[in-house]
Amino acid sequence: MVLMRLFCFRLSVRLGSIIVGGCCILETIVTMVTLAASGGAQFFLQEALYYEENMNQYNPHDVFLWLIVVCKTNAEMFFTCTMICMALYLPCCGAMMVGAYFMKQYLLAPFVLVELARLICITLTHVIAMMVIKKSINVGYLIALTIAGGFALLLLFYLWGCVVALMQILRIVRSPEYIAVFGDNPLAPVNLGETTPPMNAHPTREWNGTGLKPTERNHINKNLERLPPTELSTGQFNGPNMLIDDFRPLHSRYSYSWAI
């Protein structure tokens, strides 16, 4: 089952995936520049010393204590590893955008895996952070921060789900079942009412279910046999608009100029 068919209730998942990739690249670049401008390794060292001196105000979680020790003893290595991870994340975003534009499923896979790992780390960081600061702030503020972080994580997982949905749709539109019904061009699917006669002069005939008279078998372009629409109503191939091209107005479902 496809996770979603439209991105933000308006755009296709193909265009949505490109937007997601651009947002992730912008977010990563801003984070890298901010860390570098804040002092890099010196910033992590100062933060570790501050939290160590004021540990009585926070809940001493094991992961939090381990992070303080790492930033105190190997701040330079921690900063370098963080920057390398973010630098390796950028090509995954770029490859995903290219894969979404040219509809290449294998270019989407690295981003899906890396982004899932990143979201898991962000989720664990949020949970641990709320456990650490629960002694130092008001309960109302703690609840507000927890809810706000939960909604932010929900948004991030929604953006990740858009790329996953695009992978699912690409798998569907490349399948023989979909091609047999709508053709091999997912950006311009064949309408169910459009058929072309067979190449030979004598059309192929077959007996229908009642066995009373022969019926002609319909063919679509490129001599692909068309499956009955009833076979699609109960399955996952329930319409031709599995992938909408937002980059060509001729094949776009939108008539607005801003729909690219």
Side-chain angles (χ1 to χ4, degrees):
M1 180 179 178
V2 179
L3 290 180
M4 66 181 74
R5 293 176 181 268
L6 291 176
F7 176 72
C8 293
F9 307 102
R10 195 66 178 177
L11 305 176
S12 72
V13 292
R14 184 184 177 212
L15 179 58
S17 298
I18 296 178
I19 295 175
V20 170
C23 293
C24 291
I25 290 177
L26 181 62
E27 172 197 354
T28 305
I29 292 177
V30 170
T31 304
M32 295 175 68
V33 172
T34 302
L35 288 177
S38 300
Q42 190 65 25
F43 168 76
F44 289 111
L45 179 59
Q46 293 176 357
E47 291 296 315
L49 294 176
Y50 169 79
Y51 286 111
E52 186 181 36
E53 294 176 359
N54 300 275
M55 185 58 65
N56 58 336
Q57 301 179 9
Y58 301 96
N59 185 26
H61 193 275
D62 293 339
V63 177
F64 182 58
L65 296 177
W66 171 82
L67 187 61
I68 291 177
V69 173
V70 171
C71 291
K72 279 183 57 180
T73 57
N74 298 297
E76 190 69 32
M77 183 188 68
F78 183 78
F79 172 72
T80 303
C81 293
T82 302
M83 298 296 284
I84 290 176
C85 291
M86 288 189 289
L88 294 177
Y89 176 69
L90 292 176
C92 295
C93 298
M96 185 271 292
M97 297 174 67
V98 174
Y101 185 82
F102 292 103
M103 295 180 294
K104 302 297 183 181
Q105 187 177 357
Y106 62 90
L107 292 177
L108 306 178
F111 176 83
V112 171
L113 297 177
V114 173
E115 182 68 6
L116 178 60
R118 189 177 80 103
L119 291 179
I120 292 175
C121 293
I122 294 176
T123 303
L124 295 177
T125 301
H126 174 66
V127 173
I128 294 174
M130 294 300 101
M131 295 173 61
V132 169
I133 66 175
K134 67 180 182 179
K135 290 175 56 178
S136 60
I137 63 174
N138 185 273
V139 177
Y141 291 145
L142 179 64
I143 295 175
L145 289 175
T146 303
I147 295 176
F151 278 107
L153 288 171
L154 184 62
L155 174 61
L156 293 177
F157 275 102
Y158 176 81
L159 299 179
W160 172 77
C162 177
V163 184
V164 175
L166 179 60
M167 289 188 64
Q168 294 175 320
I169 291 177
L170 290 178
R171 186 182 300 112
I172 290 175
V173 299
R174 302 300 185 191
S175 63
E177 294 85 354
Y178 184 91
I179 294 176
V181 180
F182 300 111
D184 57 355
N185 186 4
L187 303 182
V190 178
N191 294 328
L192 292 178
E194 296 180 358
T195 58
T196 56
M199 296 298 294
N200 54 356
H202 302 284
T204 304
R205 293 176 178 270
E206 60 181 8
W207 292 95
N208 57 10
T210 60
L212 297 178
K213 59 181 179 179
T215 57
E216 293 186 3
R217 178 181 300 175
N218 291 331
H219 292 264
I220 64 172
N221 295 333
K222 298 187 178 181
N223 300 324
L224 294 176
E225 182 179 354
R226 186 188 305 280
L227 298 178
T230 54
E231 295 188 12
L232 304 176
S233 59
T234 58
Q236 57 181 337
F237 311 104
N238 56 358
N241 295 325
M242 297 298 296
L243 184 65
I244 302 300
D245 183 12
D246 288 313
F247 307 96
R248 300 179 185 177
L250 180 62
H251 302 313
S252 177
R253 69 168 60 177
Y254 314 116
S255 59
Y256 306 102
S257 59
W258 52 264
I260 308 181

